[in-house]
Amino acid sequence: MIAEDVEGIEFADPWLSRNGMRPDAEESVSTQSGLSLPSLNSGTTAPIEENMIDHVILTVSDFKRSVAFYAKALEPLGITTFIDYEGKDGHPDLKGFGDGKRHFFWLKEGKPDPQAVHVGFVAKDHSEVDAFYKAALAAGGKSKESPQARLEYYPGYYATWVLDPDGHDIEVVNKS
């Protein structure tokens, strides 16, 4: 979505304009999809990845139960590869979930704090959102919000929210 600020400069995101981020042509970079975003370092012209988070580690109370839950719940999203990381030197054991290219969602056992984190996964379309919801409930999750359009966020936002076995708020969203 392109927005135009009062000076006639185009922004890739209306939020940038509303919040005073006004790059000039030499201080902007393009994403892989061609969006122009402000550079964080003046003069930088390197491309910015659209998905800039590499991984998330979620602390769970029952490792085996949570691994089983996420293996079933994330399967409709194509997150079907797993890896075990054997911790050493004070680093905990981890279970990694991925899409065959990389592992980006990790679990570790400990004392969870469900109020401290919200995780949102991307769905390719509405049917993936719906499939995740059904799979998550079948795996023992609890419904927070059934799949639906959320026009208050913006047109084209279709999402669901499920609580995992520890009460973590897990969202799956398709933005069209």
Side-chain angles (χ1 to χ4, degrees):
M1 185 178 267
I2 303 291
E4 195 171 308
D5 91 355
V6 294
E7 298 169 14
I9 299 174
E10 290 189 333
F11 293 90
D13 185 336
W15 183 89
L16 297 174
S17 179
R18 288 193 305 273
N19 291 287
M21 299 177 83
R22 292 173 168 72
D24 63 36
E26 294 159 6
E27 293 183 13
S28 65
V29 294
S30 296
T31 66
Q32 292 174 346
S33 65
L35 296 177
S36 177
L37 298 173
S39 170
L40 297 177
N41 299 315
S42 181
T44 299
T45 58
I48 294 177
E49 294 287 329
E50 286 182 58
N51 180 2
M52 295 177 66
I53 295 178
D54 182 69
H55 64 276
V56 172
I57 299 175
L58 195 64
T59 303
V60 298
S61 64
D62 183 328
F63 200 63
K64 189 174 181 178
R65 175 186 70 179
S66 293
V67 167
F69 169 79
Y70 282 105
K72 290 177 184 172
L74 297 176
E75 184 177 5
L77 304 178
I79 301 172
T80 57
T81 60
F82 315 103
I83 188 168
D84 293 313
Y85 175 83
E86 187 177 327
K88 25 185 151 162
D89 300 324
H91 197 289
D93 291 345
L94 301 172
K95 180 69 152 189
F97 294 77
D99 59 5
K101 298 175 191 162
R102 63 187 188 94
H103 294 90
F104 48 84
F105 183 70
W106 296 82
L107 299 178
K108 73 174 184 175
E109 192 163 28
K111 184 179 177 192
D113 185 0
Q115 303 305 312
V117 66
H118 167 87
V119 177
F121 290 96
V122 174
K124 293 179 189 130
D125 53 36
H126 292 196
S127 65
E128 276 195 1
V129 174
D130 298 341
F132 163 82
Y133 182 76
K134 290 175 186 168
L137 295 185
K142 292 184 175 56
S143 176
K144 182 176 177 187
E145 295 283 341
S146 61
Q148 60 189 288
R150 297 304 296 250
L151 303 178
E152 67 271 24
Y153 296 146
Y154 70 84
Y157 198 104
Y158 185 82
T160 189
W161 290 261
V162 172
L163 301 177
D164 80 355
D166 284 306
H168 291 106
D169 182 4
I170 308 300
E171 177 182 2
V172 171
V173 61
N174 171 252
K175 298 176 179 179
S176 57

